[in-house]
Amino acid sequence: MNSTTSSLPSSNQALEHQCDVLIIGSGAAGLSLALKLADHCQIIILSKSDRNEGSTRYAQGGIAAVFDEGDSIESHVADTLDAGAGLCDEEVVTYTAKEAKKALEWLINFGVPFDTEENPGGEKKYHLTREGGHSHRRILHAADATGEAIQTTLNDAVAAHPNIHFFERYNAIDLIASERTPKHCKGVYVWNRKREQVEVIRSRFITLATGGGSKVYQYTSNPDVSSGDGIAMAWRAGCRVANMEFNQFHPTCLYHPQARNFLISEALRGEGAQLCHADGTRFMHNFDKRGDLAPRDIVARAIDFEMKRLGADCMYLDISHKSADFIVKHFPNIYRKCRSLGIDITREPIPVVPAAHYSCGGVMTDLNARTDLDNVYAIGEVAYTGLHGANRMASNSLLECVVFAKAAAEHILSRLHDAPSIEAIAPWDESQVSNSDEEVIIQHNWHELRLFMWDYVGIVRTNKRLERALRRIQLLEQEIHEYYAHFKVSNNLLELRNLVMVAELIVRCAMQRKESRGLHFNLDYPDTLAHSSPTILTPTKSLIEEEPGTLST
């Protein structure tokens, strides 16, 4: 391929770029895909913030794979199916578990510094920890900052490759449909946040690696960039989505006014930490025979129940019965963060609350990571592969990123030389819009959306709460539609436009599920049905022609 990217001129004119593969998102999924493709074609990676920001960076626990002789792929599969509460796609789970060790060896070859220990014979091996839902120790980790180690390592490799071009501080706005090839996208409109102008990227293949949409909730462990952009863009372009009702709330987010997004890794419970009340009384045994190592959905509901029952602001996680040396060695970042806030975890319990953490649903893909659009792929949290079912098992998320990056890369490479030529795209038309003088509307709608989603579509739901949420969403959509049509785009507007759409998809999926299963618990349908299937939403013509805004084609 001879495609190249344009350089950025100093003028403020409309810009156009082109490449073979456009990757929207710069976490583990996007970076892995870029590195697997870059020897063969020209790549643009789009990052909404700087290249280090995203959910990957904040992942603490690790990545699951069978490295121990006493473990097995069959056991990894069984644990994942059990955690997924009967809604996992067994073929996808088996494929992922089989590919897991090769995926981690690929990361190791790039230099990801997973922790090691010496066996009795003095030989070094990888230290394996255990997390909720796992029947064996199979989690490779880099202390308690595995995601940061992966992000840094892959970013260094990407920076060294001449065929990978990084565009930082760019928002993707919308996929642009081809007029000549059905179910094909010819590029993307993007907003350059530094220059505050809309540009065009034309590409033969497009991959969404944008992460999830947990920013739709008032309380979340995710960074601010997790605004559901890829899910909303794919839906507007005509892609199906599935299982959006299954939002994973991580059981243990640090409860402190100065650390609203700081996660307390599940690995603490894997190493013996115990959930308790303020007086030290343990309670998880009242909810599940696995106690503190029950899957996340059960633990999050238990904490939520105890907080409401006692009128408490938080519960506590106590690992102080372990030696101080053990705690500081295995959890140095958590120790330092808590210590900076006046909490010594070697001597006292950690105050914790559940927080929105992971979107188990997303854009429907096949085993090659391909969506309903011929040349558009989705990998990582933005995608619904069938791996997670009704509840993601700990440390399968980063694994999914790398495994399906490989699958997508292989499929793209098999089609690269036969792909249609890059089509022309009309420039963005701003002739009918003006600068906003009502930014307060955006801020107000932001706060309202996130608060009622937390109150009405949170850990425990009811039919009335869902109906109330849908009514509010529809009103917000009308306001945002009008605003988008009349004013120039901005980061807050683009994210809000996407999040309100993701909120509607979550609520509509939740309203279709007439049972409680996994991460979806509805007091009006407390029982789990004997047979169930994924909740799939298909765009209709009226839905995907939502709002053209300033777009001109």
Side-chain angles (χ1 to χ4, degrees), residues 28-279:
L31 296 177
S32 296
L33 177 62
L35 289 167
K36 290 174 182 292
L37 290 173
D39 288 344
H40 308 279
C41 57
Q42 294 289 328
I43 312 293
I44 289 177
I45 301 177
L46 213 67
S47 179
K48 194 162 65 173
S49 184
D50 66 64
R51 66 182 64 198
N52 289 308
E53 185 64 6
S55 292
T56 294
R57 175 185 171 190
Y58 298 98
Q60 295 176 348
I63 309 185
V66 174
F67 273 71
D68 185 75
E69 293 181 358
D71 196 4
S72 69
I73 290 172
E74 291 75 17
S75 177
H76 189 180
V77 170
D79 290 345
T80 301
L81 293 174
D82 183 55
L87 276 191
C88 296
D89 184 321
E90 190 167 354
E91 179 186 9
V92 173
V93 174
T94 302
Y95 169 77
T96 305
K98 286 182 176 179
E99 291 289 323
K101 188 173 183 180
K102 286 185 285 186
L104 267 73
E105 288 171 341
W106 181 81
L107 291 173
I108 290 165
N109 288 337
F110 269 104
V112 176
F114 292 114
D115 285 8
T116 59
E117 62 181 357
E118 287 189 4
N119 62 21
E123 182 183 1
K124 281 195 173 183
K125 62 177 183 178
Y126 289 104
H127 179 267
L128 303 175
T129 190
R130 183 182 172 193
E131 295 181 342
H134 291 272
S135 58
H136 293 80
R137 286 181 173 267
R138 63 169 72 98
I139 315 299
L140 272 74
H141 61 101
D144 59 348
T146 308
E148 185 172 4
I150 292 171
Q151 185 79 35
T152 301
T153 302
L154 295 184
N155 262 327
D156 289 344
V158 162
H161 204 293
N163 289 347
I164 302 176
H165 310 268
F166 227 114
F167 285 26
E168 294 180 283
R169 301 188 67 76
Y170 273 79
N171 291 61
I173 300 174
D174 269 316
L175 298 167
I176 308 168
S178 167
E179 291 87 4
R180 70 187 189 197
T181 307
K183 293 189 175 182
H184 190 90
C185 286
K186 56 186 179 180
V188 178
Y189 286 112
V190 299
W191 188 62
N192 183 331
R193 295 172 65 178
K194 292 174 287 188
R195 294 179 175 273
E196 296 190 352
Q197 65 183 23
V198 178
E199 301 170 11
V200 171
I201 301 179
R202 300 191 292 148
S203 183
R204 285 181 170 82
F205 298 92
I206 300 166
T207 299
L208 303 171
T210 53
S214 287
K215 196 177 176 182
V216 77
Y217 288 102
Q218 182 78 2
Y219 304 105
T220 175
S221 64
N222 285 193
D224 284 343
V225 294
S226 299
S227 52
D229 304 324
I231 296 170
M233 288 169 58
W235 175 260
R236 286 194 294 266
C239 293
R240 292 171 298 162
V241 300
N243 279 11
M244 292 294 293
E245 71 270 37
F246 296 116
N247 309 99
Q248 187 172 80
F249 290 80
H250 197 288
T252 54
C253 204
L254 179 62
Y255 179 71
H256 195 282
Q258 297 175 31
R260 61 185 179 88
N261 291 348
F262 190 74
L263 193 69
I264 304 298
S265 172
E266 193 163 334
L268 268 82
R269 286 184 284 127
E271 296 296 341
Q274 301 164 352
L275 285 160
C276 58
H277 299 143
D279 64 1

Side-chain angles (χ1 to χ4, degrees), residues 268 271-274 317-322 326-327 331 345:
L268 268 82
E271 296 296 341
Q274 301 164 352
L317 184 65
D318 191 4
I319 197 170
S320 62
H321 53 280
K322 292 281 190 177
F326 176 90
I327 294 169
F331 307 106
I345 68 173

Side-chain angles (χ1 to χ4, degrees), residues 202-398:
R202 300 191 292 148
S203 183
R204 285 181 170 82
F205 298 92
I206 300 166
T207 299
L208 303 171
T210 53
S214 287
K215 196 177 176 182
V216 77
Y217 288 102
Q218 182 78 2
Y219 304 105
T220 175
S221 64
N222 285 193
D224 284 343
V225 294
S226 299
S227 52
D229 304 324
I231 296 170
M233 288 169 58
W235 175 260
R236 286 194 294 266
C239 293
R240 292 171 298 162
V241 300
N243 279 11
M244 292 294 293
E245 71 270 37
F246 296 116
N247 309 99
Q248 187 172 80
F249 290 80
H250 197 288
T252 54
C253 204
L254 179 62
Y255 179 71
H256 195 282
Q258 297 175 31
R260 61 185 179 88
N261 291 348
F262 190 74
L263 193 69
I264 304 298
S265 172
E266 193 163 334
L268 268 82
R269 286 184 284 127
E271 296 296 341
Q274 301 164 352
L275 285 160
C276 58
H277 299 143
D279 64 1
T281 306
R282 299 177 64 185
F283 58 85
M284 274 308 303
H285 62 280
N286 296 325
F287 295 88
D288 193 278
K289 64 183 180 181
R290 291 163 288 190
D292 296 300
L293 286 176
R296 289 178 176 177
D297 59 328
I298 295 170
V299 179
R301 279 199 301 275
I303 294 173
D304 183 67
F305 179 87
E306 290 297 291
M307 287 170 58
K308 289 175 178 173
R309 181 178 71 86
L310 297 171
D313 292 328
C314 63
M315 289 290 109
Y316 294 86
L317 184 65
D318 191 4
I319 197 170
S320 62
H321 53 280
K322 292 281 190 177
S323 73
D325 288 344
F326 176 90
I327 294 169
V328 174
K329 176 184 177 182
H330 284 83
F331 307 106
N333 291 293
I334 294 174
Y335 171 77
R336 283 195 296 269
K337 181 66 173 182
C338 290
R339 200 78 176 91
S340 73
L341 299 169
I343 304 167
D344 184 352
I345 68 173
T346 67
R347 297 173 177 270
E348 58 188 317
I350 307 166
V352 294
V353 293
H357 181 62
Y358 192 88
S359 306
C360 289
V363 183
M364 291 189 71
T365 67
D366 60 16
L367 274 173
N368 295 312
R370 191 157 67 163
T371 70
D372 292 328
L373 299 171
D374 178 62
N375 65 328
V376 177
Y377 297 74
I379 51 176
E381 191 177 352
V382 68
Y384 166 77
T385 62
L387 174 62
H388 305 306
N391 179 36
R392 176 178 70 83
M393 189 168 70
S395 291
N396 273 348
S397 55
L398 290 173

